[in-house]
Structures are given as C-alpha cells and as structure tokens.
Amino acid sequence: MVRSKLLIPVWFPRNSREGTVDEFVEGGTDPLTISLYQMDLDRTQFLLRSYLRIRLQKIEKHMFHILKTDELFNRLSKEEKVFAQRSCDDLKMHLEDSVLSRLPDNYQSILKQSIISEEIDMVPKPQLDMFVVCKTKYYLGHIQLEDGDDGNLDDRGNQRPLEEPFEMEPNVLYFVRYKPIKKLVEEGKIDLY
Amino acid sequence: MAGQSDPHPSLFSADEVEFVAEDEMIEIVPNMRMEPLNLLCGDYGPFFPQMVTKVPIWLAIALKKRGKCTIRPPPWMSIESLTQILESERESQESFQVLPFHYVEISRLLFDHARDDIPDVYMVRSLIEDIRDVRFHKVETSLESFEDARSSAVRIKNLSAMEVNIVRPFVGRALQAFYKHGSPDLIPNPERMSNSNANRWQQAPDQGQRVCYELMHGVILKSALYEKDKGFDNDTRHCSTQARSCYIRMLARKIVPVFFGSLF
C-alpha cells in the first residue's frame, strides 16, 4: 500500500488548479486552451479516484487484519481510518446480530474460533504468496527467493530446498512471488505492474 | 469477505490499459500558434506552425480531433520495420521481438483517431494485427514451458502491456498453484510424521484427499475466472479456451504424481 502522505500534494494543487480553470474562463482565454486544461484535470481526477477506490477495496477486503496491525493501519489516511473503523463496527454488529449471538457462549467472538484459542485465529490475512508482475530500474543481483529472516526456527522442517538466488535485469518483466521481494518493493527498488 | 466489490481488483480492463498508454509521448506537427500549456502532467509547448514538438498521446489526439495538428507516427510503425519484426517474430518460437511496451494500445489509438497521418494505413494495420496474433499465440504456447520453472520467479522478456494484462490472472494463479502443490507440506515427509503427534491429521490418505480437493478447487476457480474475463474485451477472449485446457493439463501432470506418491 502506498503511504497516504503522497495524497496530500495531489489534492492541494488539484484545488488550486481548479481555480485557474475558472479564471481562464473569466479572463476570456481561448476555448481550446481551456478545454485542454479541463481534460488534463479530468484525467488526473480519474486516476486519483481509481486510486482511492482501489485502496477502499483493499480495506474492505482485510479490514479486521488492518485494524489490528498498526503498521498497516498507520498507512491509512484520516478518512480511510474512519472508514475502516466504521465498516469493521458495522460488519461486527451485523454478524453478531445475525449469527454469533445465537451460538453457544464459547463461540461468540468474531476474532477467535472459540474461547480456548489463545490468539486471534479467525482473521484472514492478505495472501502474500501471490505472484506479481514487476520490473526494476537497476540491476539487482542475488535476491534470495526464500522467505528469509521472518520464518520461525520451528518451521525449519517445513522449508523448501533452497532455490538458486535470483537476479533481476533492469527493464525486464518478471512474475515473482510477492513475499521475497516485498522489502525491495517498499524500498522502491522494484516497481509492480 | 462481505462487502467486497471486485474479486480481482488487480486486474486492469483493456480500457484502463489504454488510459495508461495515453500518457506515452508522441511527435506532432501543429498548424497553429499556442502558448505553452502548464498541465498537471507536465509542461508542453509553446506550439508554432510546422514545428515538431512532443506531447502525450491524449493531448495529440485532442488537438488532432480539432484539426490543430498532424500526428507523426512513431518510427516503428512503418512497413519496413513492421515487416522485419513480423519475420523475426515468426522465426523464433521462444523469444519476443522488442516493441514498445504499449504497442497494441498506441497503434489502436492512432488507427482510430489519426488514420490520415499514417502512410499505407491498411498495410500497417494488417501487419500489426499479424504481429499481435503471432505474439499472442506464442504467449499461449510458452505457457506450457512454465511447468519446468517450478521456482518463485519467471522471466518474461519483451512482453507488452496488453499481453501481460491478459495472461496475468491466469499465469499468476497457475504459478501460485504450482508453488502451493510443490510445497513440502504436501509431500510426505516420514521424519516429521513419526515425530509429531500434533500433525497426525496430515497423514497420507487425508493428504491425498486434500490434494485432490485443491486440484478441483483450482480448476473450478480458473473456469470461473475465465467466464468472467470473457465479458471484458476481444483480446481477453483470445486466451480463454486454449489456456484453460493448458492449465488443466499442466496441473494434472504436476498433481497426479504427488497424489499417487502419497497413497502408495
């Protein structure tokens, strides 16, 4: 997810530009120029709206997960935080009214499978094993495709045989599993498509 | 989850890919004077009659529609270079020739809005269509070779935006399925089984069922995905039937050994 601070500089020039289009109309500027400015504005707004809509879809998809993960929650803008909080509350209320309140006492939590679960085990997490299309601007040698440091030691038995480290040439598209390159994407070394 | 609006939000429609391509630069020859434009997407101009200048395609088309300029087709859109590309495209079954990332969209936009600026437009158009067909066919056949790459990364050199967009949902999910079914969780590991009592449910017969279930699940998902895609565009339909049968074939080859391996 992209940091919400990025949005602010996009919104402000938007407002001031809109002022300039009106000024042009009043100032009697040539209608062709005005319509071009208007088109430019429409394109930018279209992009911006698609961007915001995609973010809302992501929030809808994993709202409980986002709400309990500070790292993700802090990436939301103020309005998105309100949206996430409210849709969580609404969904929770709905599920409690319709189903959970009729279940035995032990099974009434929306986050846990039953009262004996020690941790929250009923919140779906985003699927990070997805394959994504990406490309890099610089040569990146030696990308370790295994999940690396964050794997628990207990899971050792589970691990795949190590794959060859992987190289990325600039401007070539790759299908790659998202997890191993997550960090590089966040550092801006790899662009997703 | 409830309230989810679109099950595949990462998939772009053909129109969205075209929208992105409209930001690519192209040369125009204006026939009027105009002050520089300070747009959100950059500063362009000033414009003088007969002076070549570079603008984004959407701007070029807007000016063209009002009869204010002629568009200069990019150098790769000539009969010579396209004939050459088509020939080398047919010669090599594996690799793809270098074409602009947005060649499908750019050529379509220019054919729609600036026919009279392209020399030999009919020939150019049929050449590009041929190239497109050859390449899409190659994409489909090369999907089979992904089977060998049971790794986490697959290289796709010189594929264009539209082609990537068409194969993305399918290839992404197929690779994901390979990755999942190649996981050590599903391959019997005698050491782990004897050690762990907690994991007893993972023993062989159940495991077979699980693989079988996932196989069916995957196939059904894929079918659903492609039914949905059919609505999008002609381009998408292209991939559907053949790709699906290819997927099932690949999946079957991958799964069956694992399945039997766990039974015996």
Side-chain angles (χ1 to χ4, degrees), chain A residues 25-40:
Chain A
V25 178
E26 283 161 24
T29 316
D30 142 49
L32 173 66
T33 317
I34 297 173
S35 74
L36 293 176
Y37 274 107
Q38 191 61 51
M39 274 181 81
D40 179 47

Side-chain angles (χ1 to χ4, degrees), chain B:
Chain B
M1 173 150 277
Q4 186 187 343
S5 322
D6 180 358
H8 304 290
S10 64
L11 185 71
F12 297 106
S13 72
D15 291 335
E16 282 168 328
V17 179
E18 196 175 282
F19 178 85
V20 175
E22 284 176 349
D23 278 330
E24 294 288 306
M25 301 298 278
I26 197 162
E27 287 185 342
I28 59 163
V29 186
N31 56 19
M32 68 348 173
R33 280 183 80 95
M34 194 166 64
E35 294 297 302
L37 295 168
N38 307 311
L39 301 175
L40 288 174
C41 58
D43 298 336
Y44 304 103
F47 302 89
F48 299 108
Q50 306 313 318
M51 295 280 280
V52 177
T53 179
K54 274 194 163 189
V55 294
I57 291 181
W58 67 265
L59 188 57
I61 290 173
L63 289 172
K64 172 80 190 168
K65 271 187 190 161
R66 293 169 177 77
K68 302 289 183 193
C69 74
T70 53
I71 296 179
R72 283 195 157 185
W76 54 268
M77 263 180 83
S78 66
I79 292 190
E80 300 83 61
S81 95
L82 287 174
T83 319
Q84 204 200 333
I85 289 174
L86 181 60
E87 269 169 23
S88 14
E89 206 72 76
R90 281 192 172 135
E91 263 166 33
S92 140
Q93 278 309 305
E94 284 87 41
S95 65
F96 291 90
Q97 299 304 307
V98 187
L99 270 170
F101 190 54
H102 289 292
Y103 85 98
V104 179
E105 305 89 303
I106 294 178
S107 56
R108 182 146 115 196
L109 284 166
L110 294 189
F111 291 140
D112 284 353
H113 300 285
R115 302 181 64 84
D116 46 332
D117 292 341
I118 307 168
D120 311 308
V121 61
Y122 289 104
M123 192 64 195
V124 168
R125 184 171 195 150
S126 81
L127 275 171
I128 289 188
E129 272 167 13
D130 287 350
I131 292 178
R132 236 180 66 161
D133 290 346
V134 173
R135 285 172 63 104
F136 280 170
H137 179 73
K138 238 194 270 187
V139 172
E140 284 174 10
T141 46
S142 70
L143 286 182
E144 282 200 62
S145 67
F146 281 178
E147 185 187 14
D148 309 326
R150 54 157 213 81
S151 72
S152 300
V154 172
R155 199 175 117 117
I156 34 173
K157 207 173 183 180
N158 296 335
L159 218 55
S160 80
M162 198 59 98
E163 289 154 358
V164 168
N165 196 48
I166 289 168
V167 299
R168 187 206 320 261
F170 166 70
V171 172
R173 292 215 172 193
L175 285 172
Q176 210 176 318
F178 288 161
Y179 188 79
K180 200 159 98 187
H181 299 306
S183 140
D185 273 353
L186 290 174
I187 296 168
N189 179 343
E191 206 179 306
R192 259 180 75 219
M193 296 232 177
S194 52
N195 290 350
S196 78
N197 293 327
N199 286 346
R200 189 164 276 173
W201 59 273
Q202 271 192 335
Q203 278 172 8
D206 285 342
Q207 210 172 42
Q209 278 171 9
R210 205 166 119 208
V211 175
C212 202
Y213 167 75
E214 297 201 335
L215 166 69
M216 290 183 35
H217 190 64
V219 171
I220 294 165
L221 259 180
K222 293 287 1 131
S223 323
L225 191 68
Y226 275 94
E227 288 316 315
K228 175 178 169 286
D229 283 350
K230 275 184 187 169
F232 264 128
D233 190 88
N234 287 338
D235 294 333
T236 328
R237 201 176 308 153
H238 206 91
C239 217
S240 170
T241 341
Q242 217 174 337
R244 187 161 55 199
S245 67
C246 175
Y247 175 83
I248 294 170
R249 229 170 36 242
M250 288 192 296
L251 202 62
R253 260 186 245 163
K254 196 91 181 173
I255 297 297
V256 170
V258 180
F259 181 57
F260 285 113
S262 68
L263 282 181
F264 303 116

